[in-house]
Amino acid sequence: MEQRLTVVTLGVADLERSARFYEQALGWKRSAQSQDGVVFFSLGGWVLSLFGRDDLAADAGVSVEGSGFSGIALAHNVRSQGEVDAVLAQAAQHGGRLVKAGEKASWGGYSGYFADPDGHLFEVAHNPFWPLDERGQVELG
Amino acid sequence: MEQRLTVVTLGVADLERSARFYEQALGWKRSAQSQDGVVFFSLGGWVLSLFGRDDLAADAGVSVEGSGFSGIALAHNVRSQGEVDAVLAQAAQHGGRLVKAGEKASWGGYSGYFADPDGHLFEVAHNPFWPLDERGQVELG
């Protein structure tokens, strides 16, 4: 199995509400390959997908029952501390929820968290030890 | 907010058990930047991170309580139907759980699901409409 992933799918209660959150709060643009019932955001070689939570459980053949902490967080790294605060504020202003305001982290960076309209956790972080290239990507050794 | 993500973090109960699963079942190589308490896998511009489930909840400042369907699935796309079956079998042989055997999908491809040792859902899919480039990446319009 090659060391890569292709899609992260977030199950959502209201597809249009979530798609608008990613467009308006985050400023992302949905892919023209989005279809009825599924919205794709191209992330530079891989894809974030929004899909009905019930549909996702049904596709995997598992019970849709579940609550509380998902055990997963997505992170968006930025180039400065101020940018962390700006992204968190922007998410909170457009339908996200501020979970943790930006603060200095024990690992030497600065980070905070917001939740999307379904509660999916996003960390926004500045990590001075992981420089971002011009595409915003990070290549670890 | 640029249209990209940097890290997907999976909260796990036993870090070494999970790291071995990703190394042995999936054949991935952990990054030399992994540290005590956190394991990184470089995915070509972004990172899959394994971190204690309790630690992840604490870092976000949320309750660690949660159970059942997480509402999230990660997908690894491959180049043929046979490769879907091979990856699912390999994951199941090394501590993963087969959640759904490979089968033809309504969208025209072929896919199945496995769960990692903590139950995190992975779809393995062949999607003939999303050709993978030489790095295994997909660029949507």
Side-chain angles (χ1 to χ4, degrees):
Chain A
M1 181 165 164
E2 292 174 80
Q3 189 159 328
R4 57 178 178 72
L5 291 170
T6 316
V7 188
V8 172
T9 299
L10 302 182
V12 302
D14 179 329
L15 192 64
E16 270 309 310
R17 177 186 67 173
S18 293
R20 279 197 307 273
F21 173 75
Y22 286 86
E23 290 177 330
Q24 295 173 358
L26 309 191
W28 291 6
K29 191 170 185 298
R30 72 177 82 184
S31 165
Q33 293 199 36
S34 302
Q35 297 170 21
D36 267 3
V38 61
V39 173
F40 301 122
F41 294 94
S42 180
L43 300 187
W46 61 291
V47 175
L48 184 78
S49 170
L50 306 178
F51 193 45
R53 183 183 162 92
D54 293 1
D55 295 332
L56 180 57
D59 190 55
V62 301
S63 165
V64 74
E65 298 304 319
S67 61
F69 181 48
S70 69
I72 302 180
L74 310 182
H76 175 81
N77 284 20
V78 294
R79 294 177 176 79
S80 71
Q81 194 167 309
E83 211 181 328
V84 171
D85 293 332
V87 170
L88 290 171
Q90 191 178 327
Q93 277 161 16
H94 291 86
R97 182 168 54 84
L98 181 66
V99 172
K100 182 188 184 182
E103 63 176 47
K104 293 207 185 233
S106 59
W107 43 265
Y110 183 89
S111 92
Y113 283 82
F114 71 84
D116 85 350
D118 292 275
H120 295 298
L121 281 175
F122 284 76
E123 182 183 16
V124 184
H126 173 236
N127 182 345
F129 308 107
W130 284 13
L132 302 173
D133 68 18
E134 71 286 349
R135 296 180 69 193
Q137 297 192 328
V138 60
E139 293 283 354
L140 298 191
Chain B
M1 181 165 166
E2 293 174 79
Q3 191 160 328
R4 57 178 177 73
L5 291 169
T6 316
V7 188
V8 172
T9 299
L10 303 182
V12 301
D14 179 331
L15 192 64
E16 269 309 310
R17 177 185 68 173
S18 293
R20 281 198 306 275
F21 173 75
Y22 285 86
E23 289 177 329
Q24 295 173 359
L26 309 191
W28 291 6
K29 190 169 186 298
R30 73 177 85 182
S31 165
Q33 292 199 35
S34 302
Q35 299 170 20
D36 267 3
V38 61
V39 173
F40 300 123
F41 293 95
S42 179
L43 299 187
W46 61 290
V47 175
L48 183 79
S49 170
L50 306 177
F51 193 45
R53 182 183 162 93
D54 293 1
D55 295 332
L56 181 57
D59 190 55
V62 301
S63 165
V64 73
E65 298 303 320
S67 62
F69 181 50
S70 69
I72 301 180
L74 310 182
H76 176 80
N77 283 20
V78 294
R79 293 178 177 80
S80 70
Q81 195 166 310
E83 211 181 327
V84 171
D85 294 331
V87 170
L88 290 171
Q90 190 179 326
Q93 277 161 17
H94 291 86
R97 181 168 54 82
L98 181 67
V99 172
K100 182 188 184 183
E103 62 175 49
K104 293 207 183 221
S106 59
W107 44 266
Y110 182 88
S111 93
Y113 283 82
F114 71 84
D116 85 350
D118 291 276
H120 294 298
L121 280 176
F122 284 76
E123 182 182 17
V124 184
H126 173 236
N127 182 344
F129 307 107
W130 284 14
L132 302 173
D133 67 19
E134 71 287 348
R135 297 180 68 192
Q137 296 193 329
V138 60
E139 293 283 355
L140 297 191

